[in-house]
Amino acid sequence: MAESRPDPDALLARVQAEESRAERGKLKIFFGAAPGVGKTYTMLEAGRKVAKEGVDVLVGYLEPHVRPETQALLMGLDVLGRRTIEYRGTRLLEFNLEAALAAHPQLILVDELAHTNAPGVTHTKRWQDVERLRQAGIDVYTTLNVQHLESLNDVVAQITGVIVRETVPDVIFDTADEIELVDLPPDDLIERLREGKVYLPDQASRAIESFFKKGNLIALRELALRRVAERVNAQMQDYRSLHAVARTWPTSERLLVSVSPSPHSARLVRATRRMATTLRAPWLAVYVETAPSARLSQEDADRVGQTLHMAEELGAETATISGTHLVDELLDYARRRNVTKIVVGKPQRPRWQEWLSGSVVYELTRKCGDIDVYVISGDVDEPVKPRQRAAPPPWNPLAYLGALLTVTACTGAGWLMQDRFALANIIMVYLLGVISVAAQFGRGPSILASILGVAAFDFFFVPPTMTFAVSDTQYLLTFAVMLTTGLVISTLTAHVRFQAQSARMREERTAALYAMSRGLVEATTAQALVDLAVKHIAEVFDGEVFLLFPDPSRRGPVTIAPVPSAASLATLTDHDLGVAQWVFDNGERAGRGTDTLPSATSLFVPLRSRGAIVGILGIRPRATVRPLLFSSEQIRLLETFAGQVALAAERIRSAQDAQRAKLQAEAERLRSSLLSAVSHDLRTPLAAIAGASSTLVDDSGLDTNTRHELAESIFEEAERLNRLVVNLLDMTRLDAGALQVRKEWQVVEEVVGVVLNRLSRRLQRYHVVTRLPGDLPLVPFDPLLIQQVLTNLLENAMRCTPEGGEILLSAEVVEKDVQIDVADRGLGLVPGEEEHIFEKFYRSVRSTTGTGVGLGLTICRGIVELHGGRIWARNRPDGGACFSFTLPRGEAPPLVRADGPVAP
């Protein structure tokens, strides 16, 4: 087995992947074609085997099978208790994930990976439970049927007529550490069904007539075998790549057809398609881009693109690779992809041309090694139009003049060197000139420099000089070597220039894709997304780019509309919009350069995210003289761009939906809080007013004191109701920005006195302490609004303070502000509640009463901030809470003369 040194980058990536996998638990899936093949039985046998080796094994969940042989395997194994879920009057038994994580065994057995959990369980799907176990470092054995794989869901439905609702993402299957196929022939499985070893007799008879038909079982068995074979093949490819295995391992057939600009290439592709169908093997269509192919005529370049596109439509995987030698690049790619057969066309050139420039078929058969080469003529159909030769590159007289001047300079240098150096050194000077011409001007001028250099060396330096005669025949070999070396150097230089150009183009595309991906991460609006995508895609494809998204303003069927962009220079026609709508509805690319609606002026590709079409990407070429034809590599690049844009669009839409949902939830929360609070706080005073007033109306024998008490109660409750309505109105005015502040120079003591007098009847139940220094300055504020702030703070203190408790109201000068404090002797604030206490409808959990809408403190904060101050809350060291706010002192107050006029 021929192995070479593995790729260091691939080896490093493999090591990093293994390190990340080592931190997770391992997953082994017992995979079968249908229920009843013995997956659970095999899983239990494997669990018992590792348990005998000393591994801590726990049976996490097992389907309640009635098979005695399966139940017998549970003996001796620890079984985890199930979690009971009450759902719609039914008790459901589910896997207990929390108990499994707490037990943390080395290995846990969880049956039925595709199961959907009952509502109320941590995760919706059982495979999510399994992933959580693996994240905790627990190994998992589980079972899975082929019909539960997401990618095969439609295929199974088409075969059996049954739509399977419970599916598992293919990535779970693909990243599993081990897959064990549990297989049983269809006849044996049907026999087990009839014996009642899978379902109860009544269920078994119905199953045999529907899902478990023999034809269905054969098809499901083939799907299971193929899916496991694909996984094994992927593992084999990874091994070959990791160990740099150069030889082909013919474990399965894989065909490769070489695409060329020849008119017969389409025949070759169709013939390869028939071979692949016969062999039931995957196939690839590959075009190798070399330096000569870079000078293809436009017709040949378009033909290559059409042929690759046709191969894609026929089911091939297409690729365009670049290199200096067609055969070597083709074989290297074939070995990397483990190709077993290469299909090429019969040579069409005359024999003498193959002698001069070489034969691809001969060289391919000589170097192919263990790969089979098929040389065929393809289909025999109508005559094809002969190829048009590519137009020669434009003749640049300055380049050839540069070659002539370079040879002249080399001759001058050699003339100065001939007396001191041997002729071999002068030859080196001419070769150096050829290299410089090849690097500077290209292949044609370098060939001219090679020929002129040989002629100049012969004429000026080889005896007899000044003639082209050669006296010594050994110089003929020198001339031949000089000319051959010059031609080889010029050819190699041309190849290097081509490789550099190809690498530069790939680097530019990769850089554009990276730049766009990085920019899309930061895009937060649809317009920013459009501008960024249009800019980068237009640079790569040299065309005008359009992005179209569903138009939410139109009713009826989902329609799309272009998003304005400064980078888009043209307007889409109605026909183009119709093509774009077709792409959106069908999810396939169409338009210019395709076989679908090719009359459009632009090419449109769908923006696909999570299986849904979120928009359309359109591109229009700047040149309109020929059809727009992209190579398969360009199409893949364009679809990569489209995928990035689709993910970004989906992310932005999800973020906007989340923001709208958050605002809607917040509005609903505020609405519910407002309704619950207002309904309670409105009903209480209204009930008190109604009760007191009805007593006064109905009972005329009340004494004077009772009547006074009832009237006082009516007054207090009406005043309370009035404050509630005022708070609601003020909150509305604050939110609308309609609250006006009319500042006047005021005495703080007067405002405090007005508020205390207004609340005197209610404050009688508390011990109120006021500390107001006599030297408090005048402060500019709106007296009515600050009165409301003090009223709300004192009412809040009364709600939090038990009767007879102390309420402290104080004021002091703090730097350029006057600070006013209202403190109570209640239970204080819960830690972290200091900021939330000022939010709308928030009521402290330590409030001694259930009254209050939760707007008073919010209004206080709004009024204080309108005055340019700030408000905050804190707990007092000796118990209770203190609410403080500041009012800016402003400039010096005006002076009032004794005779009346006011002077500043």
Side-chain angles (χ1 to χ4, degrees), residues 241-257:
S241 175
L242 178 64
H243 295 83
V245 179
R247 295 184 58 188
T248 299
W249 290 358
T251 55
S252 62
E253 298 290 354
R254 179 175 278 112
L255 281 66
L256 183 149
V257 56

Side-chain angles (χ1 to χ4, degrees), residues 341-354:
K341 293 176 173 56
I342 296 178
V343 180
V344 293
K346 287 183 178 180
Q348 303 291 329
R349 297 182 301 172
R351 187 66 175 171
W352 64 269
Q353 287 187 5
E354 293 185 358

Side-chain angles (χ1 to χ4, degrees), residues 448-459:
L448 176 63
S450 300
I451 297 173
L452 293 179
V454 172
F457 178 73
D458 180 21
F459 187 81

Side-chain angles (χ1 to χ4, degrees), residues 237-301:
Q237 296 285 10
D238 291 340
Y239 180 87
R240 294 181 70 250
S241 175
L242 178 64
H243 295 83
V245 179
R247 295 184 58 188
T248 299
W249 290 358
T251 55
S252 62
E253 298 290 354
R254 179 175 278 112
L255 281 66
L256 183 149
V257 56
S258 177
V259 174
S260 70
S262 170
H264 301 278
S265 190
R267 298 180 177 179
L268 207 62
V269 167
R270 286 190 287 267
T272 307
R273 167 69 171 81
R274 290 196 300 273
M275 291 178 60
T277 302
T278 303
L279 296 174
R280 294 186 177 182
W283 61 294
L284 305 94
V286 178
Y287 172 65
V288 181
E289 189 179 40
T290 59
S293 65
R295 299 191 301 271
L296 290 177
S297 65
Q298 190 59 60
E299 183 179 355
D300 285 347

Side-chain angles (χ1 to χ4, degrees), residues 542 544 570 592 600-602 620-628:
D542 189 25
E544 296 169 358
R592 190 170 186 174
T601 61
S602 303
R620 174 187 295 165
R622 300 190 188 277
T624 58
V625 295
R626 67 178 184 86
L628 173 65

Side-chain angles (χ1 to χ4, degrees), residues 473-489:
T473 56
Q474 66 178 342
Y475 284 108
L476 296 177
L477 179 60
T478 303
F479 298 155
V481 172
M482 281 185 64
L483 182 59
T484 304
T485 304
L487 295 176
V488 170
I489 290 175

Side-chain angles (χ1 to χ4, degrees), residues 119-273:
V121 181
T122 305
H123 297 120
T124 306
K125 299 289 187 177
R126 185 167 292 167
W127 63 263
Q128 295 173 317
D129 296 335
V130 169
E131 284 296 293
R132 180 67 184 87
L133 293 170
R134 296 181 66 193
Q135 291 175 3
I138 302 174
D139 296 341
V140 181
Y141 282 2
T142 187
T143 61
L144 181 68
N145 290 325
V146 67
Q147 67 264 28
H148 295 297
L149 284 176
E150 180 66 38
S151 63
L152 299 177
N153 188 261
D154 295 340
V155 178
V156 172
Q158 184 178 356
I159 294 173
T160 64
V162 178
I163 299 177
V164 180
R165 303 296 182 184
E166 296 179 328
T167 58
V168 175
D170 285 58
V171 66
I172 303 297
F173 184 87
D174 294 334
T175 57
D177 296 273
E178 187 176 352
I179 302 293
E180 181 172 334
L181 179 65
V182 183
D183 188 36
L184 192 66
D187 292 335
D188 295 347
L189 179 56
I190 294 174
E191 185 64 27
R192 293 196 65 194
L193 278 168
R194 289 171 177 165
E195 293 174 357
K197 295 182 179 180
V198 180
Y199 297 126
L200 296 175
D202 293 341
Q203 296 176 330
S205 60
R206 291 195 300 268
I208 295 175
E209 296 174 357
S210 56
F211 187 84
F212 284 82
K213 294 179 180 178
K214 184 174 181 180
N216 292 350
L217 296 178
I218 294 174
L220 292 175
R221 189 186 188 196
E222 181 180 0
L223 286 176
L225 293 171
R226 285 186 177 275
R227 193 64 179 85
V228 174
E230 290 174 2
R231 174 182 165 85
V232 174
N233 182 70
Q235 291 176 331
M236 185 266 293
Q237 296 285 10
D238 291 340
Y239 180 87
R240 294 181 70 250
S241 175
L242 178 64
H243 295 83
V245 179
R247 295 184 58 188
T248 299
W249 290 358
T251 55
S252 62
E253 298 290 354
R254 179 175 278 112
L255 281 66
L256 183 149
V257 56
S258 177
V259 174
S260 70
S262 170
H264 301 278
S265 190
R267 298 180 177 179
L268 207 62
V269 167
R270 286 190 287 267
T272 307
R273 167 69 171 81

